Amino acid sequence: MLDFTSEQLERYSRHILLQDVGVEGQEKLLEGKVLIVGAGGLGCPIGLYLAAAGVGTIGIVDCDTVDISNLQRQIAHYTADIGRAKVESAKEKMLAINPGVTVRTYQEYLSAENIRAIIRDYDFVVDGTDNFPTKFLVNDACGMEGIPFSHGGILRFDGQTMTVLPGESACYRCVFREPPPPDAVPTCSQAGVLGAIAGMLGTIQAAEALKFLTGAGSLLTDTLLTFNAKNMDFRKIRLTRQKDCPLCGENPTISELSDNVRPACGLQEKSVRQACDAGH
Amino acid sequence: MSDAIKPDAVKDCRKVGCPMNLVYAKVELAKLQSGQVLEILLDDGAPIGNVPGSVTREGHRIIEQKRLADGAWSLLIEKK
Ligand SMILES: [Zn+2]
């Protein structure tokens, strides 16, 4: 058993008091390793809450720099951070909340070449990306490596999330077979997004990561949770693993990762990079 | 009758308020095996009012609760 310092006992007291977390659960958090893909609208609250919770090792991947148009929802980035790498800006705030955790930054774009080596070292992956090709890449790579992950997407007033235990529960491709054509889905910069829903969805994903690490409760597996913040409708859609899923079905056709069509890092056309998951 | 029960661990939580006294109780209980006994010393008032119910709700058993000479309380808890 870990020896908690008295400062740690105070810091994590509200977790330790929970019957379903307790001393053992907090130890699991401190020993846990979570990778956050994206340091944007979802990645910011996810990173802040996981750091606050004492998740021992948190990786965060994002190739972008902070832009003034991010600040309406990307809550870890401040006005003074404009122009800084998002991963560095997020890391600074996470460590300011909790200097006791380790934050590893990856200022690069996740690709078919690098993703498996990066995620392999983590217990759980949280997808907070804003584009379909990366969401499929995360799903496929986590499936191949057997790493549980949380999918999340937001657009306008809508959010959706599901948790995937590869080989056990329905994967993203069981539900959404292929990335939509690049022009089929409006981008965040075109369609807009209500800032606070990034926090609504990101904190749900953070809670899933904490539940996974501690074993508390039951995960959003075989379930797509969607909400519309205009009228605050929340819906749970039951999912089942599909025998003909190209990734986790009986005769999988995906045996190698591909990048599909993906935006390049540093590209000027922000509308391409900021394409959000419409979730439908 | 309390003389018959020898606690496996003792934690003095006098002067420790709620909820940190419960946090310390949970930490000490986590170190014990099922069936072992923790003696925890608690202040009168909210501490002795709250802690027994909280540890009972988590499935542990209160085997004795007695007043000490200084007005504080000794609580014997058997780990579930
Ligand atoms: Zn599948």
Side-chain angles (χ1 to χ4, degrees), chain A residues 12 34 37 61 92 113 142 144 149-150 159 206 221 231 248:
Chain A
Y12 304 121
V34 177
V37 183
V61 195
E92 182 184 295
E113 288 74 51
C142 286
M144 289 174 188
F149 73 98
S150 164
T221 46
N231 39 23
C248 74

Side-chain angles (χ1 to χ4, degrees), chain A residues 139 164 169-175 177 240-242 244-249:
Chain A
N139 181 71
V164 177
S169 70
C171 84
Y172 189 58
R173 274 195 198 269
C174 287
V175 192
R177 284 298 151 95
T240 48
R241 263 181 93 183
Q242 299 297 304
D244 60 348
C245 173
L247 183 75
C248 74

Side-chain angles (χ1 to χ4, degrees), chain A residues 3-51:
Chain A
D3 278 325
F4 286 95
T5 64
S6 58
E7 191 216 284
Q8 282 179 309
L9 289 179
E10 298 230 27
R11 180 183 286 274
Y12 304 121
S13 58
R14 270 49 175 185
H15 275 161
I16 294 170
L17 289 167
L18 285 173
Q19 184 170 1
D20 292 324
V21 179
V23 179
E24 295 85 354
Q26 188 60 49
E27 284 175 3
K28 289 175 185 164
L29 295 179
L30 292 169
E31 289 162 357
K33 293 179 168 183
V34 177
L35 182 74
I36 304 166
V37 183
L42 301 175
C44 282
I46 294 163
L48 296 178
Y49 272 102
L50 295 188

